[in-house]
């Protein structure tokens, strides 16, 4: 099958595919069984320079756009792998790049680009406030040349495989701010110095094989020079980075969708029941064909959003729509693929149930489908705010 979108980037795709081919399905299947991190894969992707795609040349990165970055992650998922283990190394640094001081950028970006430092953790979500981010309760109080952090986060991913973490915390109490999005600040936390010295990490076993954790902050000391940008403006800074994240995750979902449909079409051509290939039945064909149409449509919106992003134009609506369409399309493809495989879809050796669990995440994280719909209703269609 070929893509209908006409967007090829064929050399880039071929190079990423060649690397991914050295990590066959058994590699991912074994990691899933052992609940292990794809260390060798992430190292190979780093050494090939793909994870530094978005870091400008002057800091040692590849200086590519979000369009190319999205193609890289799409190909990882399309190969049967899971870019969720390392995608954040590409985009979390965006907050530092856009809002960090020249000294912070010079100090950290070259080492992030080389992979000597991993910045792939971002602690936003809290257990008691969930999607209502501006109500988060973790505080950072300035004492001389340090901030003292207390509170709790949940679902903070890749902490055990990061050197640095971005942290969103409240520096001005909510009642003292003009707007609820004021008074939040972003910090770069050195995990190597902080775990066991102010941060306790408790891993959460979860549906896919995703390294994610609860974090407890007890008088964690963060040097004041690790504040990014201005105190109190952190919420705006993180919003800037969300469009990049949504476009990249949309591309991963497109990759998943294509993996499911290729796998399902191959099986449907080969599996013979009632003396004919199951794929000859319209009841088997049509769900696959419909999912194919929806993956291709989502892909167009992903490229539209990426194009706007790379031109520096507003793309909030397109990035959100791309993420919603792609997550829905990959989930539809996952269901159609599982159904096509009958009972064998449940057997781990076919990889379908693993990818099914992995792609399901994107209905919820990093933003749930309902919250995207609420964004479109309010900010694009100018309906009254619903929450
Ligand atoms: C595996 C995994 C990895 C994650 N990694 C990270 C990470 O690295 N960093 C991080 O900060 N977070 C991370 N998250 C958290 C993720 O971003 C949140 O789970 C997500 O934003 C939803 O928040 P919540 O789970 O608190 O759900 P809630 O906010 O409690 O919502 C529960 C349900 O109610 C719906 N809902 C809530 N309010 C409304 C409303 N007003 N209108 C309609 N529907 C509504 C939601 O859509 C959702 O379906 C991760 C989550 C998972 C599962």
């Amino acid at each position: 099958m070929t893509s209908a979108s006409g967007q090829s980037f064929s050399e880039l795709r071929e190079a990423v595919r060649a690397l991914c081919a050295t990590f066959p399905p058994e590699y991912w299947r074994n990691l899933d069984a052992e609940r292990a991190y794809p260390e060798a894969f992430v190292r190979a992707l780093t050494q090939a320079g793909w994870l530094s795609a978005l870091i400008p040349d002057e800091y040692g990165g590849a200086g590519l756009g979000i369009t190319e970055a999205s193609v890289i992650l799409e190909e990882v998922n399309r190969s049967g792998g899971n870019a969720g283990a390392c995608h954040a190394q590409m985009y979390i640094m965006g907050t530092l790049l856009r809002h960090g001081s020249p000294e912070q950028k010079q100090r950290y970006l070259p080492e992030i680009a080389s992979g000597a430092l991993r910045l792939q953790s971002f602690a936003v979500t809290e257990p008691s406030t969930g999607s209502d981010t501006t109500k988060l309760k973790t505080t950072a109080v300035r004492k001389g040349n340090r901030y003292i952090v207390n509170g709790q986060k949940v679902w903070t991913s890749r902490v055990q495989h990061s050197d640095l973490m971005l942290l969103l915390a409240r520096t001005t109490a909510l009642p003292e701010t003009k707007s609820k999005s004021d008074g939040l600040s972003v910090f770069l936390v050195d995990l190597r110095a902080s775990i066991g010295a102010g941060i306790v990490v408790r891993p959460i076993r979860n549906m896919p094989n995703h390294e994610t954790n609860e974090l407890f902050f007890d008088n964690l000391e963060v040097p004041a020079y690790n504040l990014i940008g201005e105190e109190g403006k952190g919420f705006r800074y993180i919003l800037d980075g969300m469009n990049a994240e949504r476009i990249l995750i949309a591309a991963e979902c497109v990759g998943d969708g294509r993996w499911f449909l290729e796998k399902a079409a191959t099986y449907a051509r080969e599996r013979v029941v009632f003396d004919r290939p199951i794929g000859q039945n319209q009841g088997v064909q049509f769900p696959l064909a419909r999912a194919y149409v929806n993956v291709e449509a989502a892909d167009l919106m992903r490229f539209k959003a990426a194009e706007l992003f790379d031109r520096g134009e507003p793309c909030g609506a397109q990035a959100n729509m791309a993420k919603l369409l792609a997550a829905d399309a990959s989930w539809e493809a996952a269901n159609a693929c599982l159904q096509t495989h009958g009972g064998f879809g449940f057997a781990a050796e076919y990889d379908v149930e693993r990818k099914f669990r992995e792609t399901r995440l994107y209905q919820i994280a990093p933003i749930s489908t309902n919250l995207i719909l609420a964004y479109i209703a309010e900010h694009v269609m100018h309906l009254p705010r619903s929450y």
Side-chain angles (χ1 to χ4, degrees):
M1 287 189 291
T2 52
S3 159
S5 73
Q7 301 275 0
S8 69
F9 297 94
S10 50
E11 279 179 26
L12 178 61
R13 285 188 192 281
E14 285 310 319
V16 181
R17 266 179 214 171
L19 186 150
C20 291
T22 62
F23 295 88
E26 307 83 65
Y27 171 78
W28 296 98
R29 201 180 306 143
N30 292 339
L31 290 171
D32 187 62
E34 291 161 15
R35 297 260 142 190
Y37 186 76
E39 187 57 48
F41 175 76
V42 176
R43 209 176 312 121
L45 210 58
T46 306
Q47 281 166 2
W50 301 128
L51 288 181
S52 67
L54 295 171
I55 300 181
D57 311 354
E58 60 181 300
Y59 298 110
L64 299 173
I66 201 87
T67 309
E68 290 89 347
S70 78
V71 167
I72 294 166
L73 297 183
E74 177 196 333
E75 288 300 329
V76 172
N77 279 32
R78 189 179 183 163
S79 78
N82 182 9
C86 55
H87 56 194
Q89 177 79 358
M90 265 188 183
Y91 57 75
I92 291 181
M93 66 79 211
T95 303
L96 179 62
L97 180 65
R98 281 185 293 275
H99 304 288
S101 66
E103 296 74 32
Q104 285 171 329
K105 290 195 266 193
Q106 205 52 60
R107 175 166 175 191
Y108 291 112
L109 287 175
E111 287 199 86
I112 295 170
S114 73
L117 285 179
R118 283 192 186 157
L119 167 58
Q120 47 177 6
S121 258
F122 194 7
V124 177
T125 309
E126 298 195 359
S128 61
T129 46
S131 305
D132 199 358
T133 308
T134 56
K135 297 233 181 75
L136 62 78
K137 293 177 181 151
T138 296
T139 55
V141 177
R142 181 131 191 185
K143 292 254 164 72
N145 61 356
R146 312 203 156 264
Y147 283 85
I148 310 297
V149 178
N150 281 289
Q152 191 182 341
K153 296 283 176 184
V154 71
W155 303 117
T156 314
S157 300
R158 299 164 295 266
V159 171
Q160 299 161 55
H161 296 90
S162 291
D163 303 296
L164 305 170
M165 175 181 82
L166 275 195
L167 168 72
L168 186 68
R170 191 155 271 294
T171 38
T172 306
L174 201 49
E176 292 164 29
T177 57
K178 273 202 214 119
S179 143
K180 62 183 183 172
S181 55
D182 289 339
L184 292 164
S185 303
V186 179
F187 299 92
L188 194 59
V189 175
D190 190 331
L191 289 167
R192 298 162 299 178
S194 308
I195 293 178
I199 301 183
V200 170
V201 180
R202 192 183 294 162
I204 305 174
R205 191 182 161 91
N206 57 89
M207 189 163 83
N209 174 29
H210 189 86
E211 191 248 276
T212 189
N213 311 274
E214 268 183 296
L215 301 185
F216 300 88
F217 301 92
D218 182 12
N219 289 323
L220 170 73
E221 294 192 8
V222 179
Y225 59 73
N226 280 18
L227 171 74
I228 296 187
E230 275 182 58
E231 187 184 294
K233 297 208 169 146
F235 189 68
R236 272 170 226 123
Y237 300 161
I238 69 156
L239 285 182
D240 284 357
M242 284 178 177
N243 290 332
E245 183 181 54
R246 282 167 204 175
I247 294 166
L248 294 175
I249 288 178
E252 288 171 45
C253 289
V254 167
D256 279 344
R258 291 188 172 139
W259 182 89
F260 282 118
L261 295 174
E262 280 159 11
K263 184 98 177 163
T266 303
Y267 188 78
R269 281 190 294 268
E270 291 169 359
R271 170 74 168 166
V272 174
V273 181
F274 297 112
D275 303 322
R276 58 180 179 164
I278 58 168
Q280 201 176 329
N281 301 299
Q282 289 186 337
V284 174
Q285 287 179 0
F286 285 5
L288 297 177
R290 182 174 290 278
Y292 182 88
V293 171
N294 288 333
V295 169
E296 292 302 318
D299 193 41
L300 293 177
M301 185 60 80
R302 158 269 185 113
F303 275 111
K304 173 84 189 161
E307 194 186 312
L308 291 170
F309 185 100
D310 283 335
R311 288 211 303 258
E313 291 179 26
C315 64
Q318 291 77 9
N320 275 287
M321 289 191 286
K323 195 271 182 182
L324 182 139
L325 289 169
D328 280 358
S330 72
W331 181 230
E332 184 184 11
N335 273 296
C337 181
L338 187 70
Q339 197 69 16
T340 301
H341 279 76
F344 290 111
F346 291 80
E349 70 181 277
Y350 282 76
D351 300 307
V352 175
E353 61 82 35
R354 172 177 62 81
K355 292 283 283 179
F356 184 91
R357 287 182 277 115
E358 287 169 0
T359 214
R360 182 64 178 83
L361 176 62
Y362 297 122
Q363 295 283 325
I364 295 289
I367 179 172
S368 69
T369 302
N370 277 0
L371 269 285
I372 293 184
L373 292 172
Y375 171 91
I376 299 294
E378 181 188 346
H379 296 282
V380 182
M381 302 176 71
H382 309 295
L383 291 165
R385 188 175 171 83
S386 63
Y387 55 93

